[in-house]
Amino acid sequence: MACAQCDDTGWKPVELDGVHRVERCDCWRERLVRDRLAEANVPKRYLHCTLDTFSAYNESLEKAAARARRVAEAFPVVGKGLLLEGQPGVGKTHLAVAVLKQVVQASGARGLFYDTRDLLRVIRSTYDPAIRTTEIEVLRPVMQADLLVLDDLGAEKTSEWVDETMNLIVNTRYNERRLTIFTSNYLDIPDDTDPNALLFRIGARMRSRLHEMCEFVEMDGADYRELPANGGVDDLVTLWKMRRRTLPARASRAARAQLREPPGRDGKADLKWPGGRAGT
Ligand SMILES: [Zn+2]
């Protein structure tokens, strides 16, 4: 059925102070937002994520949600992106997607989501080692998206090619002042020998660039995937407290500050940091 206001032209007649003009019809805006969301590559399981459905049941999550909201509401006048760091399942991807969706819905901007490893796989599939180039059709939307979410940074296997490619993407976006939100399971600790450290995973050059272009936000919470289907916020709090008890000595600063007892009775911390897991 054709739009009653614009007959599907996308322009509707308006009268202002006796002057007849046309302006963009609501249906045009709605269609634009719908198309932009469809093009944003958000995985199905995160499509429902919004800022309002994010449950912030502790201080670190409240802070993260507030910062995410600030970025979404201030867009496009935002100086820095975000790097959401924390263990798998605390809701980093939820928040990143929520910002992306809100920005697209409010402004019709071009948003793009990629799991970092998926992106590198796609780029590699068009890479020609003989001439050391990648098809620009793959890279262009990644470079030019108004807001890019790069999920699970650091999980990719490193190589010279990966470093080069990631630096190219990140530096181009930095130079053109485009907003990027990263999520990572790795800790931002200044230790380049610890495999759980972001620094170890991405190198000093990339880490210092990320600090220039992003606000680092630590998120500490339960793994929501351990929550039973009928579980609620109370269960998340319980799971979170259980998880905190097993935190290693070098765990997140926020978590450590909140934790008043020593890490383990035997003095040893035994948390396995499943850093390589995707999708959080
Ligand atoms: Zn219309």
Side-chain angles (χ1 to χ4, degrees):
M1 208 171 68
C3 174
Q5 291 194 78
C6 72
D7 199 24
D8 285 352
T9 61
W11 296 94
K12 65 178 178 187
V14 286
E15 195 185 321
L16 206 68
D17 300 330
V19 183
H20 293 277
R21 313 173 56 167
V22 290
E23 66 176 28
R24 279 298 183 192
C25 185
D26 301 336
C27 76
W28 179 85
R29 271 177 222 291
E30 283 159 20
R31 201 160 48 234
L32 176 75
V33 165
R34 213 165 42 234
D35 291 349
R36 288 277 152 91
L37 283 177
E39 291 159 8
N41 195 36
V42 174
K44 223 178 196 159
R45 69 178 182 282
Y46 293 111
L47 274 175
H48 68 283
C49 296
T50 66
L51 289 170
D52 292 333
T53 58
F54 180 78
S55 55
Y57 50 86
N58 68 36
E59 211 181 301
S60 85
L61 298 178
E62 271 167 27
K63 218 151 120 188
R67 296 204 174 157
R69 194 176 288 277
R70 209 183 309 145
V71 168
E73 285 170 359
F75 185 89
V77 193
V78 191
K80 278 185 158 189
L82 297 169
L83 190 144
L84 306 171
E85 47 168 327
Q87 294 187 81
V90 294
K92 303 183 296 291
T93 308
H94 181 129
L95 272 190
V97 166
V99 174
L100 183 147
K101 277 174 54 186
Q102 184 162 324
V103 160
V104 173
Q105 274 157 353
S107 64
R110 283 175 204 280
L112 190 60
F113 178 101
Y114 260 112
D115 173 86
T116 306
R117 277 169 305 184
D118 283 348
L119 174 63
L120 288 165
R121 195 171 39 73
V122 170
I123 295 173
R124 191 180 278 115
S125 69
T126 74
Y127 180 72
D128 183 345
I131 46 174
R132 294 172 69 95
T133 53
T134 291
E135 278 175 30
I136 192 69
E137 286 68 31
V138 178
L139 278 174
R140 190 182 285 128
V142 177
M143 309 273 211
Q144 295 187 348
D146 300 307
L147 170 57
L148 175 70
V149 172
L150 272 186
D151 198 31
D152 212 0
L153 181 73
E156 64 280 5
K157 232 173 109 199
T158 53
S159 70
E160 198 189 334
W161 180 84
V162 165
D163 281 357
E164 258 176 43
T165 307
M166 289 301 291
N167 275 299
L168 174 66
I169 293 167
V170 169
N171 286 334
T172 304
R173 295 191 59 80
Y174 173 79
N175 290 333
E176 294 178 3
R177 296 172 196 278
R178 298 192 198 279
L179 197 67
T180 311
I181 298 179
F182 301 87
T183 78
S184 184
N185 292 341
Y186 294 92
L187 295 166
D188 186 39
I189 48 174
D191 184 347
D192 62 2
T193 59
D194 184 343
N196 295 313
L198 189 62
L199 177 58
F200 177 89
R201 307 292 313 181
I202 63 173
R205 187 162 56 133
M206 175 70 90
R207 175 173 175 255
S208 93
R209 178 46 45 91
L210 293 180
H211 271 283
E212 286 175 272
M213 63 194 281
C214 291
E215 195 181 346
F216 279 50
V217 180
E218 272 192 54
M219 294 169 69
D220 173 30
D223 186 343
Y224 70 87
R225 290 164 300 191
E226 289 172 5
L227 187 69
N230 58 352
V233 173
D234 290 347
D235 302 299
L236 278 171
V237 173
T238 307
L239 286 169
W240 167 54
K241 285 181 176 161
M242 282 164 56
R243 191 182 221 183
R244 280 203 315 178
R245 251 173 250 140
T246 58
L247 284 176
R250 59 165 180 275
S252 70
R253 292 179 295 277
R256 236 175 24 237
Q258 285 174 16
L259 197 68
R260 305 212 180 265
E261 56 214 335
R265 291 234 166 82
D266 56 0
K268 259 197 308 199
D270 65 344
L271 178 78
K272 289 186 202 73
W273 185 271
R277 273 163 62 192
T280 50

